[in-house]
Amino acid sequence: LMAIPFRSYIQPLIIMSVIPFSLIGAAGGHIIMGMPLSMLSVCGIIALAGVVVNDGLVLVDYINSRRRMGLPLRMSVLIAGKARFRAILLTSLTTFFGLLPLLTERSTQAQFLKPMAVSLAFGVMFATMLNLILVPALYTILEDIKGAALKTYRKVTI
């Protein structure tokens, strides 16, 4: 579905490429908290994928809007990183701090939801930095590859 508004099959892949890396953060959170992975952890990971994709969408959409304005690729990526840094960071921080009371709760009722909160909270914090680094880097790399392929194609057809 993301391919339709972006008019590209590559850009949704760039956005979703951060999801596997966010699993590292979720697993690390379980190790730090000394909790085993459970079915509710998987539910937290699914929610984590939604937050991570949202952050990537914000970034890629801003890059695309700057490119439509006529800015060069690298300038668009730099401007998008600076302009959307605060929005991405605040989304992640509010998610983490919103889950913090549940993470620190010791009641037996909270123990049921704690694995989901651990997956989501630690995964979001780990994926935020990756999103701000990996998405612009992959965007630039894939655009460079696309440009090189177009140059090669033009030389072959001429």
Side-chain angles (χ1 to χ4, degrees), residues 29-65:
H30 281 277
I31 291 169
I32 290 169
M33 298 294 284
M35 300 179 79
L37 286 169
S38 67
M39 196 59 199
L40 276 173
S41 301
V42 174
C43 291
I45 289 170
I46 292 169
L48 168 64
V51 175
V52 168
V53 165
N54 183 46
D55 289 347
L57 281 169
V58 166
L59 197 53
V60 169
D61 183 56
Y62 202 85
I63 293 170
N64 287 340
S65 70

Side-chain angles (χ1 to χ4, degrees), residues 139-152:
Y139 191 99
T140 304
I141 290 167
L142 291 173
E143 287 296 319
D144 287 345
I145 291 170
K146 186 168 82 173
L150 283 174
K151 285 181 185 176
T152 305

Side-chain angles (χ1 to χ4, degrees), residues 18 21-23 25 48 52 55 88 92 122-132:
V18 181
F21 294 106
S22 65
L23 298 177
L48 168 64
V52 168
D55 289 347
I88 291 170
S92 300
F122 284 93
V124 161
M125 292 313 295
F126 186 75
T128 297
M129 293 305 127
L130 282 175
N131 226 333
L132 291 167

Side-chain angles (χ1 to χ4, degrees), residues 59 63 72-82 136-137 139-140:
L59 197 53
I63 293 170
L73 171 65
R74 297 200 195 287
M75 182 68 75
S76 298
V77 169
L78 288 173
I79 290 172
K82 288 178 186 176
Y139 191 99
T140 304

